[in-house]
Amino acid sequence: MAMLNSAAGAPHARILSVGSCRGERVVDNAEMCTMIDSSDEWIQQRTGIVERRWASQDQTVVGMAADASRVAVERAGLSLDQVDAIIVATISGTRSMPSVACEVAAELGIQGAAAFDVTAACAGFCKGLSLADSLVRTGGATHVLVVGVEILSRLLDTSDRGTAFLFGDGAGACVVGPSEVPAMSPVVWGSDASQADVLTIDDSRSLAEGQPHPYIRMEGTKVFRWATTFISDRAREVLEASGLAPEELDVFIPHQANNRITDSILRHLKLPEDVVVARDIRNSGNTSAASIPLAMDELLSSGKATSGQQALLIGFGGGLAYAGQVVTLP
Ligand code: COA
């Protein structure tokens, strides 16, 4: 029988660069409290959020994803035509067809790239990263753009004081390419569909005129409990799968869901005191699929973290779903 060719690519993959684009409108807690019955003190204590960034009227999911991608491709020292796959993680595309990734390709003038979306909410970026790792190592692509992008402010019930203060808008993009040395550990990922209903974008209830529709609905306490127990254990598995000891880790970039969730996972992992921890939620809010690359770019741009350091990423949220890996920072 004739033998089929099988896929073969680079020995390893790594993140070559990161870029980001933030919502232009700063919405601080004082402004938020004109919409919901809450206080700056309550929001800061319960979540760590001081302000969030919302897209201006002119910003779009595709435009923000394209802006972050341009920065990432330039920082990788590549030209746009060297990108041969685009993976966009998002839950806020306004059309289910074409994919946001195809629209980003068109916006950037990238012809012929494999382009598709990943719908995995706050786990989407890490899932996309793992797919990119596989594509590069199996020869499906050489340079993959992995983008996390959300405009969640347009999916909010701004009268719901249990969710409205939490979410923000932004885009983060990484270029993943070939590497001679390991720079991305095996992914640890999964889902728990028995909790599918605790975090949804729900169009089953009519809202008052002027409110967006559909909108995010969340049972916050259930998500919080899952994140601080189940996800803490998965984060430990990510570290074990990477082969690193806790003291060999430099940076921790969890999905920016809530600082109290981050603190809880940190305690569970028993990481050394000097590990740099992403706290981008303070100024960005929870930006779902965009939060990890946004936080990564903030740490690198501010000098809190540096290229070559080992960072544990873990995304978790609606599905419920999760994914994580250790990466060498670009
Ligand atoms: N401002 C002031 N008080 C508020 C409030 C607000 N915005 N929202 C709720 N409260 C009140 C409640 O009415 C309740 O009051 P009571 O004790 O008198 O009944 C009290 O605060 C506690 O409410 P609860 O819903 O139990 O708050 P919480 O401690 O669970 O915090 C979240 C709420 C949303 C901050 C928290 O559940 C959370 O972060 N969950 C995870 C969310 C998340 O990460 N989602 C995305 C995952 S990707």
Side-chain angles (χ1 to χ4, degrees):
M1 200 168 68
M3 290 278 277
L4 289 175
N5 291 332
S6 87
H12 307 283
R14 71 183 177 101
I15 299 177
L16 300 173
S17 63
V18 59
S20 60
C21 169
R22 288 170 192 272
E24 282 168 2
R25 193 156 100 70
V26 178
V27 178
D28 63 15
N29 287 342
E31 182 177 350
M32 183 50 61
C33 294
T34 63
M35 298 175 231
I36 54 169
D37 176 15
S38 190
S39 68
D40 175 43
E41 190 191 4
W42 191 93
I43 296 172
Q44 286 205 41
Q45 265 181 8
R46 296 288 171 130
T47 67
I49 297 172
V50 173
E51 61 190 25
R52 71 284 296 138
R53 307 290 293 258
W54 283 4
S56 65
Q57 278 190 337
D58 297 338
Q59 289 183 295
T60 63
V61 165
V62 172
M64 291 174 80
D67 285 351
S69 298
R70 277 191 201 92
V71 176
V73 171
E74 195 191 324
R75 286 181 180 166
L78 298 171
S79 57
L80 287 165
D81 59 12
Q82 289 175 282
V83 172
D84 47 10
I86 304 173
I87 301 172
V88 175
T90 188
I91 52 170
S92 42
T94 49
R95 299 192 285 187
S96 52
M97 188 170 69
S99 64
V100 174
C102 279
E103 292 191 272
V104 169
E107 176 81 16
L108 295 174
I110 297 175
Q111 276 299 325
F116 56 95
D117 293 354
V118 170
T119 307
C122 312
F125 180 78
C126 290
K127 292 194 176 185
L129 215 48
S130 172
L131 294 176
D133 174 45
S134 301
L135 282 174
V136 170
R137 290 188 297 104
T138 56
T142 305
H143 296 117
V144 187
L145 252 176
V146 183
V147 187
V149 57
E150 305 290 2
I151 298 188
L152 299 175
S153 61
R154 294 180 194 152
L155 293 168
L156 287 181
D157 173 358
T158 48
S159 66
D160 177 3
R161 74 170 186 159
T163 60
F165 60 88
L166 201 57
F167 295 101
D169 306 335
C174 285
V175 178
V176 175
S179 171
E180 289 301 319
V181 294
M184 220 183 282
S185 72
V187 71
V188 172
W189 61 7
S191 60
D192 176 7
S194 73
Q195 300 206 69
D197 285 341
V198 305
L199 184 50
T200 59
I201 295 184
D202 194 341
D203 58 2
S204 64
R205 185 168 66 95
S206 302
L207 287 171
E209 205 167 314
Q211 288 287 343
H213 181 78
Y215 63 97
I216 296 171
R217 192 173 59 81
M218 177 177 76
E219 294 183 53
T221 311
K222 286 188 182 167
V223 179
F224 189 88
R225 207 176 300 133
W226 175 76
T228 51
T229 54
F230 182 84
I231 290 300
S232 291
D233 288 337
R234 301 295 81 72
R236 190 190 296 239
E237 283 176 15
V238 173
L239 193 57
E240 284 166 7
S242 77
L244 295 186
E247 58 275 13
E248 291 172 306
L249 196 74
D250 304 301
V251 182
F252 178 44
I253 313 180
H255 166 50
Q256 301 291 287
N258 182 327
N259 263 343
R260 287 192 299 145
I261 293 175
T262 298
D263 290 338
S264 172
I265 301 175
L266 257 179
R267 279 195 298 276
H268 195 75
L269 286 174
K270 299 190 171 65
L271 296 179
E273 291 276 301
D274 60 352
V275 164
V276 174
V277 180
R279 302 282 184 185
D280 194 43
I281 192 167
R282 182 182 190 280
N283 303 98
S284 302
N286 175 340
T287 56
S288 192
S291 88
I292 289 175
L294 279 172
M296 187 188 293
D297 196 18
E298 193 279 327
L299 289 177
L300 289 167
S301 305
S302 65
K304 291 177 202 145
T306 52
S307 174
Q309 288 187 314
Q310 310 283 29
L312 192 158
L313 319 180
I314 185 157
F316 51 88
L320 295 174
Y322 63 92
Q325 58 272 92
V326 174
V327 301
T328 305
L329 290 177

